[in-house]
Amino acid sequence: MAADLHFHSIYSDGNNTPAELIEMAISKGIDTVALSDHDTVEGVAEMIEIGNEKGVEVIPAIEFSTYQGEVEMHILGYYIDYRSKTFLSKIHSLFRERIARSRKMVKKLNDIGININYQDVVKTAGDKYVGRPHIARAMISAGYINNIEEAFTEDYIGNRGKAYVSKDNLSPLEAIELIHKAGGIAVLAHPYLINDGAPFDKNGIINLANQGLEGIEVFHSKQSQEISEYYLKIARELDLLVTGGSDFHGNGSVGLQLGDVLLDDQYVAQLKDFYNRKYGTPSGK
Ligand code: AMP
Ligand code: ZN
Ligand code: FE
Ligand code: FE
């Protein structure tokens, strides 16, 4: 048995429901999962409920997009209290910012002759979470581009794109603190894939560890075995937790399935032990 601790649902930019994701986990023989949607815990309660029914342990989680200047890094929070009022109110304000920002990007696209409207964008998004992948899907539906990648260019909504609008940014430290206040464990997601920045090296990780980071995602679908070994060594040297997952997004993940990256039981056990020692309570269920 093993775990997949990183994937997305319809509540952010994946396109599978919690029920479908649990079925996928079962069909792969996985007994522990974490739904780690971008900036939202909207799907977590449903995931836990279905997991309980079907005998799959669900660790509550989130994946925050954070920024240090132009450099975007993702911070995973595990075992967060997904019902905490202060935590929810902070992420709701992040949602509101996302909506306003997406409307601005649609307006900018309109100005350069891409005639999509915000309603087309939210059609493929959840109630609250909306981001560039949804805008890209609306552009595909309207026939302006053929695939999601084409939207993420300088012509459209790539980070230096004509119609790009930046987010009001959460810093890594703010995300780490939010996760800790919600009783969770903060882990750097896919350290090799940092948007607009170089892959993290030991110094980058030390810097985050000094800000309270407790683990790194060593195993990830876009990190080769060699890269995983590199980060495993750093995790050992710095005494950081080791996590891993597929980062499955549904149809958006061509050739990838949930469970294609598995985290060994020993690391899951270390994560749980760490959690129990730090917070002294059973998991955030
Ligand atoms: P946003 O948070 O709205 O700025 O959108 C960022 C999300 O878009 C990321 O979390 C990825 O899921 C997705 N994304 C970023 N770059 C690309 C790309 N080149 N191709 C496809 N999807 C991307
Ligand atoms: Zn995503
Ligand atoms: Fe990510
Ligand atoms: Fe992800």
Side-chain angles (χ1 to χ4, degrees):
M1 296 299 241
D4 184 335
L5 300 187
H6 187 163
F7 52 82
H8 300 268
S9 77
I10 48 166
Y11 291 101
S12 65
D13 58 355
N15 49 17
N16 296 104
T17 61
E20 289 165 350
L21 294 164
I22 292 285
E23 284 311 318
M24 289 174 189
I26 292 169
S27 75
K28 289 266 188 173
I30 294 171
D31 62 358
T32 307
V33 295
L35 173 64
S36 59
D37 273 317
H38 297 286
D39 305 331
T40 180
V41 287
E42 201 90 350
V44 170
E46 192 180 330
M47 192 82 191
I48 289 175
E49 195 184 315
I50 301 168
N52 282 342
E53 279 166 23
K54 306 267 178 171
V56 177
E57 182 172 352
V58 177
I59 298 172
I62 193 164
E63 181 180 19
F64 280 117
S65 297
T66 75
Y67 294 80
Q68 200 123 68
E70 297 261 290
V71 177
E72 176 177 349
M73 60 195 96
H74 292 176
I75 309 271
L76 293 156
Y78 289 113
Y79 290 110
I80 39 162
D81 176 1
Y82 59 97
R83 289 177 287 212
S84 147
K85 290 235 161 63
T86 45
F87 187 72
L88 288 172
S89 104
K90 177 65 193 175
I91 61 182
H92 286 155
S93 80
L94 294 172
F95 280 146
R96 285 192 295 274
E97 283 163 18
R98 276 191 165 275
I99 291 168
R101 163 183 180 252
S102 294
R103 285 184 181 281
K104 281 186 205 159
M105 285 194 274
V106 168
K107 170 85 179 43
K108 284 184 152 193
L109 285 168
N110 294 161
D111 291 345
I112 56 173
I114 305 294
N115 291 312
I116 54 168
N117 59 52
Y118 185 70
Q119 290 317 312
D120 299 333
V121 172
V122 286
K123 243 184 253 165
T124 64
D127 277 355
K128 294 186 180 101
Y129 180 92
V130 56
R132 284 184 286 165
H134 305 105
I135 296 178
R137 285 179 202 163
M139 289 173 69
I140 295 171
S141 298
Y144 289 104
I145 53 170
N146 294 311
N147 58 55
I148 293 199
E149 255 85 68
E150 283 178 50
F152 283 87
T153 57
E154 297 200 350
D155 288 333
Y156 305 120
I157 50 172
N159 284 356
R160 279 178 261 282
K162 288 178 191 147
Y164 176 70
V165 176
S166 66
K167 273 178 281 202
D168 190 11
N169 301 330
L170 195 65
S171 72
L173 178 62
E174 284 169 324
I176 291 168
E177 287 178 348
L178 259 175
I179 290 165
H180 288 168
K181 277 190 204 132
I185 298 172
V187 173
L188 177 64
H190 42 71
Y192 191 70
L193 304 165
I194 305 293
N195 281 349
D196 268 344
F200 263 69
D201 61 7
K202 192 172 169 184
N203 285 336
I205 293 170
I206 289 173
N207 182 28
L208 285 178
N210 288 338
Q211 299 182 55
L213 189 86
E214 294 149 313
I216 50 181
E217 190 175 47
V218 167
F219 305 101
H220 182 273
S221 49
K222 292 188 176 156
Q223 291 176 178
S224 69
Q225 193 185 333
E226 194 187 348
I227 290 171
S228 298
E229 280 164 14
Y230 170 75
Y231 286 117
L232 187 59
K233 188 164 169 272
I234 293 179
R236 290 210 172 111
E237 285 165 4
L238 301 178
D239 198 19
L240 291 170
L241 292 162
V242 170
T243 73
S246 59
D247 209 356
F248 174 71
H249 275 77
N251 297 344
S253 308
V254 180
L256 180 76
Q257 294 182 331
L258 188 150
D260 276 355
V261 174
L262 288 176
L263 184 67
D264 240 50
D265 287 341
Q266 56 165 322
Y267 300 120
V268 181
Q270 284 166 11
L271 181 69
K272 275 185 202 170
D273 280 356
F274 183 91
Y275 173 76
N276 288 330
R277 267 183 282 125
K278 181 171 178 187
Y279 296 104
T281 48
S283 79
K285 281 183 193 173

